[in-house]
Amino acid sequence: MADVYKATDLDRDGYQVAIKIFKHGQIESGVQAESFRREKQILGELKHPNIIELFDSGEDEQTGEQFLVLEWIEKNLTDLLREDPLEGWDSYWERLALPILKALAFSH
């Protein structure tokens, strides 16, 4: 439904961002437009340290593709766990479960 690319934001002094571009033709255009609208609205309203930040959004004038400009997270969960493995339930709870649950509670 979308591709995500790492980019450099020249307006933010070279800050790394993620550009999420919604693909045309992958799903019905009305569904895609509604998905984009909802994601943009929700991320625009949610400001929490455990929820990715939305910096900008729009539609490319030449292609008509809709896009979101998001906070870039350098490492994924697999990489983080490979570098610093969990050591049992307490470690799992503190490092993964609790931050996720706090973000979910905030969003609801």
Side-chain angles (χ1 to χ4, degrees):
M1 193 166 118
D3 290 317
V4 178
Y5 302 94
K6 182 179 183 180
T8 301
D9 188 337
L10 300 176
D11 291 337
R12 294 179 183 264
D13 297 325
Y15 192 77
Q16 298 297 300
V17 295
I19 308 292
K20 182 175 183 177
I21 300 174
F22 289 76
K23 298 179 189 179
H24 284 298
Q26 296 294 315
I27 58 173
E28 182 183 323
S29 64
V31 173
Q32 179 176 322
E34 182 64 13
S35 175
F36 172 78
R37 185 193 70 75
R38 286 182 182 188
E39 187 168 349
K40 181 176 104 172
Q41 177 185 358
I42 290 166
L43 287 174
E45 293 173 1
L46 295 175
K47 302 296 182 209
H48 188 274
N50 298 331
I51 298 175
I52 201 115
E53 186 175 352
L54 173 68
F55 295 133
D56 198 4
S57 64
E59 185 173 312
D60 185 281
E61 293 176 9
Q62 294 177 355
T63 65
E65 293 177 319
Q66 297 168 312
F67 64 88
L68 302 173
V69 181
L70 305 159
E71 174 182 10
W72 176 259
I73 305 299
E74 189 62 40
K75 295 183 180 177
N76 63 36
L77 182 57
T78 302
D79 293 339
L80 291 172
L81 292 176
R82 192 175 296 128
E83 291 173 7
D84 188 14
L86 297 173
E87 298 176 12
W89 176 253
D90 290 340
S91 178
Y92 167 79
W93 171 252
E94 184 178 312
R95 289 179 38 209
L96 294 180
L98 186 57
I100 291 170
L101 290 174
K102 284 182 178 181
L104 285 171
F106 178 81
S107 68
H108 285 88

